[in-house]
Amino acid sequence: MRGLLLLCVVVLIQLLAAQTDAQGSKSKWQTLTGFSPRVIARGGFSGLFPDSSIDAYNFAMLTSVEDVVLWCDLQLTKDGAGICFPGLTMSNASNIEAAYPNRTNTYLVNGVSTQGWFTIDFSLKDLNKVNLIRGILSRSERFDGNGYSILTVQDVNTELKPQGLWLNVQHEAFYAQHNLSMTTFLTTASKTVIIDFISSPEVNFFKKIAGRFGREGPIFVFRFLEKETFEPTTNRTYGSILSNLTFVKTFASGILVPKSYVLPLDDKQYLLPSTSLVQDAHKAGLEVFVSGFANDVDIAHDYSYDPVSEYLSFVDNGNFSVDGVLSDFPISASASVECFSHMGRNATKQVDFLVISKNGASGDYPGCTDLAYAKAIKDGTDVIDCSVQMSSDGTPFCSSSIDLGNTTMVAQTPLRNRSTNVPEISSLGGIYTFSLTWPEIQTLTPAISNPYRTYNMFRNPNERNAGKLVSLSDFLNLAKNSTSLSGVLISVENAAYLRESQGLDVVKAVLGTLSETGYTNITTKKVMIQSTNSSVLLDFKKQSRYETVYKVEETIRDILDSAIEDIKRFASAVVIVKSSVFPDSEGFVTEQTNVVERLQKSQLPVYVELFQNEFVSQPYDFFSDATVEINSYVTGAGVNGTVTEFPFTAARYRRNRCLGSKETPPYMAPVQPGGLLQVVNAASLPPAEAPNPVFTDADVAEPPLPPVTAKAPTSTPGTPSKPSTNAPAPSGQTRLTLSLLLSVFPLAIASLLLL
């Protein structure tokens, strides 16, 4: 009955989609057998549910390739029962400390004195009082209250009937020291349970079980730990054993290694050249399985926080393919193998939607730089964007912020004394674009955006200050010379303030630059003008025939018909934020709104922002995988385009062959909005939140843009006044007033954080 709970109560993935055959064409794969790499679900879908719980195993089977292999870390109880539990001690992934607070013990484990709640001190009956909980604290605690029981190997077999079962025996020698025999358990269990794989990091264990299972028995896999670690039964390091794969072949048919054995990293978390391990192992007749895959951990910067890119580097790199991957998120592994492998950059698009960059490929390079735009084009974006800012001498250029302190290292330059307070823009002081000339701005070093630095997640540190800021003219010429782009998006904000207070007409500057660069013929490239201000778009509409896009920054739950009609007066498309499609509460999607549907019914295409690859930017429902998130917005909500800082991920998604299948496989089906919360125990649900507002015509209405007010001539902003003749001679340090110091100090700190 427990196994049916997830099936009956919630269908997180649209399971009407049929499973596809996981065995690919032999000719495509560079595995030892020639078949597609296996997907092994470590403790089930342990990236979401408690490791080795019934729902973790069940969900792995529902969302993965048909022949997904369920991984069980085999432990023995005091009475010799075999249970699936991720560790030798039990406090980390169960509530045993609450159930038995006084039953800790201390034992030697591989020569190290270890204290804890050991499985050998509890009978299977004792463990009926113990429930499984998350073992990694960064993962959601919402499922800890579901009361998941510890499963025996027989439970997994009878309740789930997996097509593949992998038993990992991590500490056979420890159990033998306490008169518990793994060999006896395995040989007995194999009479009623089909065991497909048995792995262990202990050489002597394989010698004990050799010949116990017959020719049709499980595949033996030797598990390598870190190279410097000593194998407990031979007293040799794993690195030493690695150099003699012919020895491993005498007792095993495969090896299981950490990712770094195949693709090592340098000390900055960048990839080094691949080793020859896979080719060497295949020559020795050994299959190679790789462990350590999880979507919610740091991966090499080369992958741009994209788990699919990481999987593909192991299974489809043109030189070799590993024979299987051990993953906490088997849905991503399944999609990587079956949907994205052997897919060239020129593969046919299977779904049609616009990929619009956000400040270029700003997840990989400083935003709005030549390098960010060049990579966005190379990555397959349809539309590159420029957030137009104005310099003091009237040059329009691209920058994600009007405050240069947010996008450059200006606070580390003498130009930091241009800091001013502009309440119309921000309550904090800033070094604004209109306070510097374009030649001065061109001297600034750009800085990459790190929106998740509080999680210690940093984007491409080696290129954090790479590239050059570009003028709107250079941006438009770059786009015009690209054969792959379909258009450009120009974003205009703060137009009213610039006209009234700075004497700068950004609308005129944009239109003039478009004309000068040959965009008067709108058939050359599509030109989209975007703004959050209806007055700006009305001004553009009066003076040009460019497409106008209205951006709704607020999270909304609905939109009135009257508001839609108002928008149609000045806009031909709408940009909304992700939470206006799938609102969430404390990291869980609660529902799907009808905002997209209502706008599209009025012939307004809907583009959604902001898509980012970092898993912390996504609700748990998307399984820490940007591809799953994009898929749910495109094929689930039916949006017309995505605005993304990582255009490669979105552009690759629409070419994946699973979208062109007659029957969509479950690992490429959109998630069911609000479905994940249905699995959470009522007592653990996040508190209800106030509903998001409805967007009305009052939110659209604005007064027209004011006329340009000529700015009175002033001295260069920030120029220190001439000291009086009676004043003390200045020291070698630049003198700043207290107010200026106070306004610059936070900018300097922010700039240092960008380093």
Side-chain angles (χ1 to χ4, degrees), residues 105-165:
N105 217 328
T106 302
Y107 296 106
L108 285 177
V109 180
N110 293 335
V112 179
S113 180
T114 306
Q115 183 179 27
W117 286 262
F118 287 80
T119 61
I120 62 172
D121 292 325
F122 299 89
S123 67
L124 186 60
K125 182 179 180 181
D126 291 335
L127 296 181
N128 287 337
K129 297 180 181 179
V130 179
N131 294 321
L132 297 168
I133 60 174
R134 59 178 175 156
I136 298 176
L137 294 180
S138 60
R139 293 174 176 171
S140 176
E141 77 283 4
R142 297 294 174 187
F143 304 105
D144 290 355
N146 282 13
Y148 294 119
S149 299
I150 295 174
L151 302 177
T152 65
V153 171
Q154 289 79 5
D155 289 335
V156 174
N157 180 63
T158 57
E159 296 194 32
L160 297 164
K161 297 180 174 57
Q163 292 207 22
L165 180 61

Side-chain angles (χ1 to χ4, degrees), residues 406-449:
N406 295 331
T407 59
T408 72
M409 306 302 293
V410 65
Q412 300 300 307
T413 74
L415 293 172
R416 64 182 177 272
N417 67 353
R418 304 287 181 86
S419 178
T420 56
N421 291 308
V422 182
E424 296 93 333
I425 296 177
S426 173
S427 59
L428 302 174
I431 304 174
Y432 294 104
T433 63
F434 49 78
S435 298
L436 279 71
T437 65
W438 175 236
E440 288 175 324
I441 292 170
Q442 287 180 291
T443 67
L444 299 178
T445 300
I448 201 166
S449 170

Side-chain angles (χ1 to χ4, degrees), residues 116-254:
W117 286 262
F118 287 80
T119 61
I120 62 172
D121 292 325
F122 299 89
S123 67
L124 186 60
K125 182 179 180 181
D126 291 335
L127 296 181
N128 287 337
K129 297 180 181 179
V130 179
N131 294 321
L132 297 168
I133 60 174
R134 59 178 175 156
I136 298 176
L137 294 180
S138 60
R139 293 174 176 171
S140 176
E141 77 283 4
R142 297 294 174 187
F143 304 105
D144 290 355
N146 282 13
Y148 294 119
S149 299
I150 295 174
L151 302 177
T152 65
V153 171
Q154 289 79 5
D155 289 335
V156 174
N157 180 63
T158 57
E159 296 194 32
L160 297 164
K161 297 180 174 57
Q163 292 207 22
L165 180 61
W166 186 311
L167 300 183
N168 180 57
V169 180
Q170 197 74 5
H171 296 285
E172 188 275 339
F174 172 82
Y175 287 110
Q177 292 168 7
H178 296 277
N179 300 316
L180 290 168
S181 173
M182 275 289 182
T183 303
T184 300
F185 171 80
L186 289 168
T187 53
T188 302
S190 66
K191 297 175 182 178
T192 57
V193 176
I194 298 176
I195 305 170
D196 298 279
F197 297 87
I198 295 176
S199 61
S200 177
E202 299 178 356
V203 172
N204 281 359
F205 167 67
F206 290 104
K207 294 180 179 179
K208 289 181 180 180
I209 63 173
R212 298 293 185 100
F213 298 95
R215 295 181 63 183
E216 301 299 320
I219 295 171
F220 294 163
V221 180
F222 181 60
R223 185 175 192 180
F224 281 83
L225 304 183
E226 295 303 321
K227 291 181 180 180
E228 300 79 14
T229 302
F230 280 86
E231 192 278 324
T233 56
T234 63
N235 204 32
R236 294 171 58 190
T237 65
Y238 287 98
S240 171
I241 297 173
L242 185 69
S243 64
N244 191 357
L245 292 175
T246 54
F247 165 68
V248 177
K249 180 61 178 173
T250 63
F251 58 84
S253 299

Side-chain angles (χ1 to χ4, degrees), residues 635-656:
T635 64
V639 304
N640 302 98
T642 58
V643 182
T644 174
E645 294 178 334
F646 296 88
F648 176 80
T649 303
R652 181 193 59 203
Y653 157 76
R654 62 185 175 184
R655 300 192 309 271
N656 88 76

Side-chain angles (χ1 to χ4, degrees), residues 386 395-398 470-479 513-514 516-517 519:
C386 171
T395 301
F397 69 99
C398 304
V470 298
S471 67
L472 177 59
S473 177
D474 289 340
F475 167 83
L476 291 171
N477 284 322
L478 172 68
T513 307
L514 283 166
E516 292 166 5
T517 51
Y519 281 79

Side-chain angles (χ1 to χ4, degrees), residues 460-531:
N460 200 5
N462 281 358
E463 306 293 340
R464 64 183 181 270
N465 298 121
K468 297 179 180 179
L469 295 175
V470 298
S471 67
L472 177 59
S473 177
D474 289 340
F475 167 83
L476 291 171
N477 284 322
L478 172 68
K480 188 169 63 174
N481 293 328
S482 168
T483 58
S484 61
L485 288 177
S486 62
V488 295
L489 183 146
I490 298 172
S491 178
V492 176
E493 302 295 338
N494 302 302
Y497 169 79
L498 291 172
R499 281 188 172 189
E500 282 189 311
S501 302
Q502 298 298 327
L504 296 170
D505 190 342
V506 63
V507 174
K508 181 179 179 181
V510 168
L511 290 173
T513 307
L514 283 166
S515 177
E516 292 166 5
T517 51
Y519 281 79
T520 49
N521 178 4
I522 61 175
T523 61
T524 305
K525 296 280 185 189
K526 177 192 289 188
V527 175
M528 297 188 286
I529 308 294
Q530 174 186 292
S531 182

Side-chain angles (χ1 to χ4, degrees), residues 675-689:
L676 202 55
L677 281 176
Q678 296 181 44
V679 190
V680 176
N681 182 283
S684 301
L685 287 170
E689 297 183 357

Side-chain angles (χ1 to χ4, degrees), residues 365-403:
Y365 290 98
C368 298
T369 60
D370 54 345
L371 295 180
Y373 289 128
K375 188 169 194 304
I377 295 170
K378 178 184 176 183
D379 287 347
T381 193
D382 299 306
V383 176
I384 56 173
D385 70 304
C386 171
S387 296
V388 174
Q389 312 298 340
M390 297 292 289
S391 63
S392 62
D393 52 357
T395 301
F397 69 99
C398 304
S399 177
S400 61
S401 174
I402 196 171
D403 183 354

